[in-house]
Amino acid sequence: MAPNPAFFAEWTPRVLSLLRIVSAYLFLLHGTAKLLGMPHVAMFDDLQLVSLTGLAGVLELVGGVLLLLGLFTRPVAFVLSGEMAFAYFIGHASRGTPLIPMLNQGESAVLFCFVFLYLSVAGGGAWAVDAVRGKASPLQGAG
């Protein structure tokens, strides 16, 4: 039985939205843990807002909310992809095993980096504020 192209054409934008929503929620939790203490992560107890980790928390909180809504998806996802690349090379690869993220606890950073890079090109999908607005800014593009 051959795949039905109409099925994929109909469901691809919806599944893209699910990928965006779930990824944004998981990412947003990192920001709320750092800045709001929810969920509580002991290593963030004495977080200084004016630090790399504090800046990361702001990007994760604001960017996570924007991605969750699908608002300015492409530029936001591009910035967050860069943040995760930076986080990987500064915080994980420097532990001596740059090519093996499993050994330097960098798997999440790598995965977020590439999911966000994909979203920066693909857009937010069918269930995004960007799709409802129907307007494309020069940075946003269609979708």
Side-chain angles (χ1 to χ4, degrees):
M1 181 170 175
N4 182 350
F7 172 84
F8 293 111
E10 181 177 347
W11 281 95
T12 296
R14 295 173 183 172
V15 175
L16 174 61
S17 286
L18 288 174
L19 175 67
R20 174 187 49 80
I21 291 165
V22 171
S23 298
Y25 172 71
L26 294 173
F27 196 68
L28 177 60
L29 288 176
H30 289 267
T32 61
K34 288 175 183 152
L35 300 179
L36 306 176
M38 299 180 314
H40 180 258
V41 177
M43 69 185 275
F44 301 135
D45 282 347
D46 296 319
L47 177 77
Q48 300 296 314
L49 189 59
V50 183
S51 67
L52 284 178
T53 306
L55 175 60
V58 171
L59 288 172
E60 291 158 3
L61 184 67
V62 174
V65 168
L66 290 172
L67 279 187
L68 192 65
L69 297 172
L71 183 60
F72 307 116
T73 302
R74 286 186 168 133
V76 169
F78 184 77
V79 168
L80 296 181
S81 176
E83 177 203 357
M84 289 294 93
F86 182 79
Y88 180 75
F89 287 108
I90 296 299
H92 299 282
S94 63
R95 294 183 184 164
T97 54
L99 297 178
I100 309 174
M102 182 182 282
L103 296 181
N104 63 33
Q105 290 78 47
E107 291 172 300
S108 295
V110 172
L111 194 55
F112 277 128
C113 177
F114 282 93
V115 167
F116 294 154
L117 183 61
Y118 176 68
L119 291 174
S120 75
V121 174
W127 301 325
V129 173
D130 293 335
V132 173
R133 290 182 338 150
K135 294 188 239 174
S137 71
L139 289 176
Q140 185 64 18

